[in-house]
Every structure is written in structure tokens, then in C-alpha cells.
Amino acid sequence: MSNLKSLLRWNPTARQCLNWTITIVSAIACVILLPARLPGMELLGIGPNWPLIWVVAWSIKRTTLQGAFAGLVLGLLQDGMTSPHPTHALSLIVVGALTGHFQKQRYIQEDFISIALIAFGMAIVAETVLAVQFHLTGDRTLTDIWMDNQRIALSSAILSSLWAPVVYFPLSRWWQLVNSYEQSQT
């Protein structure tokens, strides 16, 4: 802990660069982890939605607009690694905006269960937005889309909710430490 506090005593520019580096590296790490299938990290062939987990972690203490912007950026990064049709950006924008809105309304607490439940619900929302996009493209029947969506959404939601605290708590702790130090300096 004292090492972290000594990092925060750096000059403001260096401290801000460190904060942004940690934020950006963690976001990119979540996008890079997306295709990884480590043992025990998949259910019915589906893995955790790491970008969604990061967007939830980022948005939970930020505004609706900041959450939507984070969803846009990570969605575009995810689209860069996968097919852009349908776009993941739209689903992550919705996730970021909803999570930011929850924060604003103070419906949530910051504990293990709340973070897991938010990630679970947002994974279902994200997969449903993707399913609607598949339907609108018209290349598959609604029945096929719905059957796949149930399996994918539930698997993704379960795994994402289990892994969300692992991503959320270290990042949240870091962002809280930076914020509290910034506020104490003003």
C-alpha cells in the first residue's frame, strides 16, 4: 500500500500518465483475452465477455455518457478482432450507458454480489442486442437466432459474472486511490 501511495506522490503529469496507462492496458488486455480459452474458462463453447466486464467496471462509477463512450471504444476494438457484422460497439454502448445510469441512480452497492449481478444482467442485454442485429440483417430465422441466443447469453452471463469481480476490484481500487489522492491535493 505504501508503494502505491508513493506512486501517487509523483508529479501530476506522471501520475496522470500512469493512471491512463493502467486504464488503457487493462482495456486492451480484456480485448486480447477475448479469444483465449483457458481450461475451465468456457461453458458450452462460450467464454467470458472480457470487454463487457471492463465496460461494466469502468462505467459503474462514471456517468452515462462516459460509460457509453467506453462501450463504443471497446466495442470497436472487439469488432476489429471479429466480424463487424453485427457490431459489438452497439451492445457495449448500451451496457456502458445502462451501467453508468445505475451508478447515477445509486441503485447499486459496491460488493462482490452486486458486481456479479450487474455483469450477469449486462451480458444478457449485450447478447440480446446482438441477436436483434442478427434478426435485422435477415440472414437467419428468428427461431434459430433465439435458440442460439439463449445458450450464448446464459453461458456468457454466467462466466462474465464469475470473472467480473476479478477485473473490477483491482481496477476500482486503483481508480479510488487516484481519485482520493487527487481530491486531497485540491
Side-chain angles (χ1 to χ4, degrees):
M1 181 59 110
S2 64
N3 289 340
L4 286 177
K5 289 185 179 183
S6 67
L7 287 175
L8 293 175
R9 289 190 189 103
W10 292 359
N11 73 40
T13 305
R15 188 174 52 246
Q16 191 171 19
C17 285
L18 177 63
N19 184 37
W20 280 106
T21 299
I22 288 172
T23 301
I24 291 168
V25 166
S26 66
I28 291 172
C30 283
V31 172
I32 290 172
L33 274 173
L34 194 59
R37 294 294 187 253
L38 302 172
M41 287 184 69
E42 71 179 341
L43 183 62
L44 300 174
I46 308 296
N49 190 336
W50 295 106
L52 177 132
I53 293 169
W54 193 92
V55 169
V56 166
W58 170 265
S59 303
I60 218 154
K61 290 192 176 182
R62 293 190 172 67
T63 66
T64 302
L65 187 60
Q66 289 171 326
F69 183 73
L72 172 67
V73 171
L74 262 71
L76 292 174
L77 287 172
Q78 187 173 355
D79 286 344
M81 292 183 63
T82 61
S83 172
H85 304 289
T87 180
H88 294 90
L90 182 60
S91 62
L92 290 180
I93 288 170
V94 170
V95 165
L98 284 174
T99 305
H101 181 71
F102 287 154
Q103 180 276 337
K104 186 181 281 186
Q105 298 299 324
R106 301 283 181 207
Y107 292 133
I108 58 169
Q109 295 179 0
E110 186 179 338
D111 62 3
F112 181 86
I113 301 297
S114 296
I115 300 307
L117 287 174
I118 292 167
F120 186 90
M122 291 302 136
I124 292 191
V125 167
E127 294 302 334
T128 303
V129 169
L130 285 170
V132 168
Q133 289 181 65
F134 274 122
H135 174 66
L136 294 175
T137 60
D139 60 344
R140 293 173 40 196
T141 67
L142 191 56
T143 306
D144 291 340
I145 294 169
W146 181 246
M147 294 303 291
D148 286 343
N149 183 57
Q150 289 176 5
R151 179 183 56 86
I152 293 168
L154 190 56
S155 298
S156 176
I158 290 169
L159 289 171
S160 296
S161 67
L162 290 174
W163 285 98
V166 174
V167 172
Y168 173 76
F169 283 111
L171 287 175
S172 175
R173 179 83 173 124
W174 170 255
W175 292 326
Q176 281 178 346
L177 193 61
V178 169
N179 274 348
S180 65
Y181 189 80
E182 295 292 330
Q183 289 175 356
S184 72
Q185 296 301 308
T186 57

